[in-house]
Amino acid sequence: MSEFFDFLGRRYDDLIEVGLEHMYLVGISVLLSTAIGVFIGVTTYRTERPREIALAVTGSFLTIPSFALFILMIPIMGIGAPPVIVALTMYGLLPVVRNTITGLREVDQATVESAKGMGMGRTQRLVRIELPLAWPVIVTGVRVTALVLVGIAAVGAIVDGPGYGTFIFDGLARVGSPAAINLVVSGMLGVIVVAILFDTLLAVLGKLTTSRGIQ
Amino acid sequence: MTEQTSTASSAATAPGRTMIKLEGLGKQYPKEPKPAVDNLTLEIPEGEIVILVGPSGCGKTTTMKMINRIIEPTSGRIILDGEDVTKADPDQLRRKIGYVIQQIGLFPHMTIAQNIATVPKLLGWDAKKIDARIDELLQTVSMAPETYRNRYPKQLSGGQRQRVGVARALSGDPAVMLMDEPFGAIDPITRDRLQNEFLRLQAEVRKTIVFVTHDIDEAIKMGDRIAILQEGSRIAQYDTPEQILTAPANDFVADFIGRGASLKRLNLSRVRDIQLSQWPTVQLGEQPSRVLDVLRASDKGFALVLDEQRKPRRWVSAPDLQRDENRPLDQIGLAPEAIVEPQATLNDALNELITANYSVAIVVNASGEYQGIVDIDSITEAIRTMRTDARARARVGLDEDDTVDEAAQVGR
């Protein structure tokens, strides 16, 4: 055990740097997933067919094994961070799209009708009434996305992506040596810490951006 | 509307300028065999509350929602204040029309102030004017601005939310308001209070209001004019509450009003509108023998004692006088009860006189001076008069509109 703490002490700077990279990678992907996912949700929630297609397509992304997807990205995007970000964004879409659609559809129709009756146009209704009311549900979706992506991001090391995955793959390459366990365990713990940080951050952010009237 | 102006009662019922005119308005939903609203023509006078009432599914809500084009009509025209708005920009149109729905539909994520500010903001008012308007409206609906401005809808009671809903609908100072069962989701006691408050408010603001309800009693209470609608939004009768109650146009209307129409009618007439009966009266301090003379001269068994200010003091009968010969008049007989003022409704008067000792209600003016008496005969007489008047008025309309029907009426 003490040997593990020695390892952490020795690689301290490394662990922090890799952690920041991991957060950066996930942060960018969550942002992209949220932007694209909310857009897809907003454009499809009203009508049944497009809505079902949006959910089916983004859902099918999640069924592709991450290992395979990362490798498939190499011919198109090469190696490093970009293919990882694209793949993560794809994985992150479903929770955002699903919660955006659910949230918007759950908005009380009487509220929307009175907005319409007061002379708010379609865009105004969406921006000023529907999205703010659906926001808590959307934020929940974003939090799920963040948790999923923090885990999958580690696999991105297979295409030379940054983050705690590098520790885990290093460990994998040295199975049998005493350093292997230390590398894998510290990579895993790092992922957990990043996940907790993201979730806390998004919870606070969600609370700050949700009206007190609906909390 | 010529039939209204040509009758004797024109002063009370003559409509003003037409504010909303629906011309052959129709709504046919695809795949439905019958139209929801079938060729409806209706004129709504400025400054009045017009109630659309009818059984569920009669198309009353659809009709109302076509006025601000929440539902688009499939045929006909909507003329608002002389302007054809059937094809106008619906958002611009709606900003000029206040809208209150049963669920109120306050925006839960906005404060009360932000809710009320919605339409003024859309109309592009400056912040200062909007601020002043919010305070003014909250005061109008009896809610202290400093307490409620920054609250959220969830922090209010049902009645308060309803008030804010009305304030919000008034915010852009629209000439027209549409109200869809606005008091429907509120407990009966609060509803009664809110209805009275709203009528007081309307007396000040004089908006043209289209009000939908399924409750005939609410219609009678709130309406200057009531349109009773049948399936397909066909008008069974469009008239004042008084006319509808005393002269229902057909069996559908009579059924819809239900039993007790005459009793409901008593709520709409006031003591000042009817001929008061006179009664033997004597001055306080009069000699008992004089009082007996007065009693003998009349067919009533008891006389009303009035003091110097002509305020009723006592009921005295012949036996009272004989029993207590030497006592002053205000110490014998019975204390007067059932005292009503001229603005009391006949219903109030009836209630009073039924429980009173001599089955009469004493009418006094605001300073308490004796004016006359209402007894059960005056009330039945009033009901009879109302009925004849209403029939006459209904017939005048028929004379001018439809000579074929007139023949039928004469035949009856």
Side-chain angles (χ1 to χ4, degrees):
Chain A
M1 204 59 190
S2 67
E3 195 207 339
F4 177 65
F5 287 113
D6 285 348
F7 173 85
L8 288 185
R10 260 199 327 277
R11 305 287 299 266
Y12 180 76
D13 291 345
D14 233 11
L15 277 164
I16 294 294
E17 198 189 319
V18 170
L20 288 175
E21 282 170 0
H22 199 111
M23 289 181 77
Y24 164 81
L25 197 66
V26 173
I28 296 272
S29 311
V30 168
L31 271 179
L32 285 171
S33 296
T34 305
I36 300 169
V38 169
F39 178 78
I40 294 175
V42 161
T43 46
T44 60
Y45 80 100
R46 277 176 226 258
T47 31
E48 196 181 342
R49 285 295 289 170
R51 193 166 69 222
E52 280 174 355
I53 293 170
L55 289 173
V57 171
T58 53
S60 70
F61 288 161
L62 265 181
T63 63
I64 309 171
S66 51
F67 211 80
L69 186 61
F70 284 128
I71 291 166
L72 284 175
M73 285 286 173
I74 298 176
I76 316 163
M77 312 217 44
I79 55 170
V84 180
I85 289 174
V86 171
L88 290 182
T89 303
M90 285 169 68
Y91 284 124
L93 284 177
L94 180 70
V96 179
V97 172
R98 162 157 288 168
N99 281 38
T100 303
I101 289 175
T102 311
L104 288 172
R105 280 166 61 82
E106 274 174 4
V107 172
D108 178 20
Q109 281 316 293
T111 310
V112 179
E113 191 189 310
S114 68
K116 194 174 173 186
M118 293 165 81
M120 279 196 197
R122 201 173 154 139
T123 318
Q124 280 171 319
R125 283 198 308 268
L126 184 70
V127 173
R128 290 178 51 186
I129 307 295
E130 292 175 277
L131 278 176
L133 289 178
W135 189 241
V137 184
I138 298 175
V139 170
T140 309
V142 173
R143 283 172 69 178
V144 174
T145 286
L147 288 180
V148 170
L149 296 196
V150 168
I152 299 180
V155 186
I158 191 76
V159 290
D160 210 13
Y164 285 116
T166 52
F167 274 67
I168 298 169
F169 278 93
D170 275 358
L172 208 60
R174 301 185 204 177
V175 172
S177 79
I181 299 291
N182 288 340
L183 282 165
V184 172
V185 171
S186 56
M188 189 186 76
L189 287 177
V191 167
I192 292 171
V193 170
V194 170
I196 292 170
L197 280 177
F198 259 103
D199 201 50
T200 314
L201 184 75
L202 284 171
V204 172
L205 218 62
K207 185 128 177 110
L208 290 178
T209 52
T210 302
S211 157
R212 272 199 299 127
I214 51 172
Q215 278 179 24
Chain B
M1 291 288 131
T2 44
E3 73 270 21
Q4 305 275 355
T5 43
S6 64
T7 58
S9 63
S10 61
T13 54
R17 202 166 65 88
T18 298
M19 178 54 102
I20 306 168
K21 192 173 178 186
L22 309 178
E23 281 181 0
L25 204 62
K27 177 68 186 179
Q28 171 74 61
Y29 285 104
K31 292 178 201 153
E32 296 273 328
K34 283 189 197 157
V37 174
D38 188 11
N39 194 24
L40 173 75
T41 297
L42 188 70
E43 288 191 12
I44 293 158
E46 185 176 18
E48 289 196 3
I49 302 183
V50 167
I51 314 271
L52 305 182
V53 64
S56 46
C58 70
K60 53 190 188 293
T61 299
T62 311
T63 302
M64 191 202 79
K65 288 184 178 178
M66 283 197 284
I67 297 173
N68 66 354
R69 297 188 25 227
I70 293 282
I71 296 176
E72 289 286 353
T74 44
S75 60
R77 299 202 303 160
I78 306 151
I79 317 285
L80 181 72
D81 204 5
E83 188 191 340
D84 187 343
V85 293
T86 325
K87 295 276 174 269
D89 175 359
D91 289 332
Q92 296 295 336
L93 172 69
R94 290 171 194 149
R95 289 172 201 173
K96 292 189 286 187
I97 300 178
Y99 191 50
V100 184
I101 54 178
Q102 184 181 344
Q103 308 89 326
I104 313 301
L106 293 184
F107 306 137
H109 61 301
M110 294 187 187
T111 61
I112 301 312
Q114 289 168 331
N115 265 284
I116 296 175
T118 310
V119 173
K121 266 189 195 150
L122 290 169
L123 292 171
W125 294 12
D126 66 65
K128 231 177 163 176
K129 190 176 167 194
I130 294 179
D131 244 28
R133 183 71 179 152
I134 293 167
D135 288 353
E136 183 195 340
L137 282 167
L138 281 173
Q139 264 149 10
T140 310
V141 298
S142 339
M143 290 173 75
E146 56 284 4
T147 315
Y148 291 104
R149 274 185 78 104
N150 298 319
R151 295 220 179 152
Y152 285 95
K154 69 170 180 190
Q155 297 165 301
L156 304 186
S157 69
Q160 289 172 328
R161 271 180 228 172
Q162 205 281 340
R163 287 200 188 106
V164 174
V166 169
R168 187 175 67 167
L170 286 167
S171 60
D173 203 16
V176 172
M177 300 237 288
L178 305 180
M179 309 182 86
D180 186 5
E181 307 225 9
F183 307 110
I186 293 167
D187 68 90
I189 295 166
T190 315
R191 183 192 308 147
D192 201 52
R193 210 178 57 227
L194 290 173
Q195 285 171 337
N196 294 338
E197 267 175 31
F198 185 75
L199 286 173
R200 262 200 302 281
L201 177 61
Q202 164 68 357
E204 275 170 48
V205 297
R206 289 260 147 233
K207 302 292 181 192
T208 305
I209 295 169
V210 180
F211 188 115
V212 167
T213 180
H214 64 270
D215 177 359
I216 185 69
D217 291 315
E218 183 171 60
I220 291 163
K221 178 170 184 186
M222 304 300 287
D224 293 311
R225 218 164 275 272
I226 299 176
I228 298 192
L229 302 176
Q230 276 171 281
E231 201 189 332
S233 227
R234 278 191 310 278
I235 299 176
Q237 188 168 6
Y238 181 40
D239 217 324
T240 58
E242 291 84 352
Q243 275 299 104
I244 284 179
L245 286 176
T246 24
N250 51 41
D251 289 348
F252 178 82
V253 175
D255 269 358
F256 192 74
I257 302 168
R259 283 155 156 249
S262 298
L263 285 176
K264 285 174 190 163
R265 180 69 176 77
L266 292 179
N267 267 321
L268 295 170
S269 320
R270 299 184 181 273
V271 169
R272 61 167 176 260
D273 303 332
I274 66 166
Q275 183 72 47
L276 299 181
S277 309
Q278 284 311 315
W279 204 270
T281 60
V282 291
Q283 279 297 318
L284 191 62
E286 196 76 75
Q287 287 303 314
S289 59
R290 272 284 300 135
V291 179
L292 283 170
D293 288 344
V294 169
L295 279 174
R296 259 192 296 273
S298 96
D299 58 338
K300 316 285 186 196
F302 39 97
L304 184 61
V305 179
L306 304 177
D307 63 13
E308 304 78 59
Q309 282 97 44
R310 293 189 55 75
K311 288 182 183 160
R313 293 294 294 271
R314 214 74 185 166
W315 285 116
V316 290
S317 66
D320 294 331
L321 287 161
Q322 281 144 6
R323 201 168 39 239
D324 304 298
E325 216 166 330
N326 299 319
R327 295 174 64 186
L329 286 178
D330 59 349
Q331 284 175 25
I332 60 174
L334 293 166
E337 35 185 12
I339 297 177
V340 296
E341 294 195 2
Q343 71 270 21
T345 64
L346 290 191
N347 195 38
D348 297 336
L350 181 62
N351 248 324
E352 290 289 333
L353 75 86
I354 282 173
T355 47
N357 276 319
Y358 291 121
S359 292
V360 293
I362 306 166
V363 183
V364 298
N365 66 12
S367 31
E369 290 165 32
Y370 167 78
Q371 305 288 305
I373 288 291
V374 177
D375 57 11
I376 194 77
D377 290 338
S378 12
I379 290 185
T380 41
E381 180 56 31
I383 293 173
R384 205 161 27 240
T385 319
M386 284 171 206
R387 223 180 277 146
T388 8
D389 284 359
R391 284 219 192 90
R393 234 172 291 160
R395 201 163 298 185
V396 170
L398 291 171
D399 288 347
E400 293 177 11
D401 283 358
D402 198 338
T403 39
V404 181
D405 260 7
E406 185 199 359
Q409 285 276 335
V410 171
R412 262 187 225 169

